[in-house]
Amino acid sequence: SSLLQMPRSHMLGVAATLQHEMSKHASLLEGVLTRSERRVAASFVQAPTDYFDAAPTFKQSYAPQSGEIFGILRQMKETFESNLSAAQKEEMANQKAYEDLKAAKEEEITAGQAQIQTKTGELADTDENNAQSKVDREDTKASLSADEQFLMMLKEKC
């Protein structure tokens, strides 16, 4: 009865919104609305101002037509709300999974950077030991050469 008291422009807006939502969410409403409910909604969308002025058929004479429209709209709203709730829960779960993954990757990066610093320090120590070993080798060669010359000199004298 409240739909009957609406101004024409509001009724046209309701019809346009109903048509838009039914076409946009047709797959969602497939299992929610019956064929007769879709026909009722379609006839309202095609002629929203004439819909309530038409003479009711025998079947319609016992129920106001606006109640059917409100019922369809209520079902659509409940479906959209449940889908929204499910999508929000899924989004929160995905957000948590992303944050967990991000934290794990940041830990891996920190561990990798620490390993780089350790390996860099080890490389520096190894390079230093290598350089020292080369110096020691040269010193040992020089000492060996001097010792061999001393030995040859001793052999000549003895």
Side-chain angles (χ1 to χ4, degrees), residues 65-111:
Q65 294 176 348
S66 63
E68 247 183 287
I69 298 295
F70 279 123
I72 291 170
L73 293 173
R74 198 172 299 113
Q75 279 182 316
M76 288 173 62
K77 180 182 179 242
E78 289 170 2
T79 302
F80 294 151
E81 286 174 346
S82 67
N83 289 344
L84 175 64
S85 174
Q88 287 173 335
K89 287 177 185 174
E90 182 181 348
E91 179 64 25
M92 287 191 320
N94 289 343
Q95 180 68 27
K96 180 167 179 2
Y98 167 76
E99 288 172 1
D100 292 345
L101 178 64
K102 181 180 175 185
K105 292 299 179 184
E106 286 175 349
E107 286 177 17
E108 287 179 20
I109 289 170
T110 303

Side-chain angles (χ1 to χ4, degrees), residues 144-158:
L144 177 63
S145 176
D147 287 347
E148 286 176 346
Q149 284 178 357
F150 179 72
L151 181 62
M152 284 171 59
M153 194 171 72
L154 269 175
K155 283 184 181 179
E156 285 177 16
K157 287 186 180 180
C158 293

Side-chain angles (χ1 to χ4, degrees), residues 23-38:
S23 64
K24 181 178 176 183
H25 301 290
S27 62
L28 292 173
L29 296 173
E30 186 95 13
V32 176
L33 299 177
T34 64
R35 183 177 296 166
S36 64
E37 289 172 334
R38 280 194 292 267

Side-chain angles (χ1 to χ4, degrees), residues 121-139:
E122 289 175 4
L123 180 62
D125 291 342
T126 303
D127 288 345
E128 184 180 336
N129 288 342
N130 189 22
Q132 185 62 42
S133 295
K134 286 181 180 178
V135 169
D136 289 347
R137 182 173 173 232
E138 293 300 318
D139 290 346

